[in-house]
Amino acid sequence: MVHRSALSDSAPFSFTRDQRLLGGDQFRAVFDAPDYRVSDRHILILARHNDQPQARLGLVIGRRRARRAVDRGAIKRRAREQFRLRQHELAGLDLIVLLRAPCPPDGGRSATPLLASLLDKLLAKRQ
């Protein structure tokens, strides 16, 4: 059984529809003129200032880079989790997480520390 207090405590770290990049125009704005760009061999994160109080996230995890659906899902899940935990630090940014190289052999399991370090780099650049 879930207690009401447990739900209210997790609400600030939710991931709602307002925190997603939804349309092609929103993605194009970030792709065309990113303010920040951080990457490593596997993942590229593009970021652009928005005029909204919250951060928004878009994911581009293609089948050519991660063949198995389970790997694509794992990478997306870990990206959303890192975004959800850091959304207050990322406020005012539109982010796109792009898988740029073939998925690592372990699937998406190594993505969590990788995404965390890339978000640290992004926040350092923003400061």
Side-chain angles (χ1 to χ4, degrees):
M1 178 171 183
V2 177
H3 294 292
R4 190 169 210 62
S5 63
L7 290 175
S8 64
D9 290 343
S10 64
F13 292 104
S14 63
F15 185 65
T16 63
R17 184 174 174 85
D18 294 335
Q19 295 170 313
R20 288 187 246 161
L21 294 177
L22 296 173
D25 293 339
Q26 294 173 350
F27 275 87
R28 195 171 302 110
V30 179
F31 277 123
D32 288 347
D35 295 325
Y36 306 104
R37 177 186 172 117
V38 292
S39 65
D40 75 337
R41 184 173 161 225
H42 294 289
I43 295 175
L44 168 67
I45 298 178
L46 301 172
R48 179 184 166 122
H49 291 285
N50 66 25
D51 49 350
Q52 297 183 359
Q54 79 269 4
R56 297 186 302 179
L57 176 67
L59 298 169
V60 180
I61 312 296
R63 192 180 309 156
R64 292 180 71 192
R65 303 291 183 223
R67 283 273 189 228
R68 299 181 330 159
V70 68
D71 294 337
R72 290 191 303 275
I75 292 167
K76 289 178 184 180
R77 197 167 39 253
R78 283 164 172 78
R80 284 191 301 264
E81 181 71 10
Q82 285 299 309
F83 174 82
R84 188 181 65 79
L85 293 173
R86 294 170 176 246
Q87 63 187 328
H88 301 294
E89 299 172 64
L90 298 166
L93 289 177
D94 285 344
L95 299 167
I96 293 180
V97 175
L98 175 73
L99 187 63
R100 67 192 306 198
C103 189
D106 67 346
R109 289 182 292 282
S110 65
T112 300
L114 184 61
L115 287 163
S117 69
L118 288 174
L119 288 174
D120 287 340
K121 283 186 197 177
L122 175 68
L123 291 170
K125 278 188 174 185
R126 188 180 185 194
Q127 301 303 328

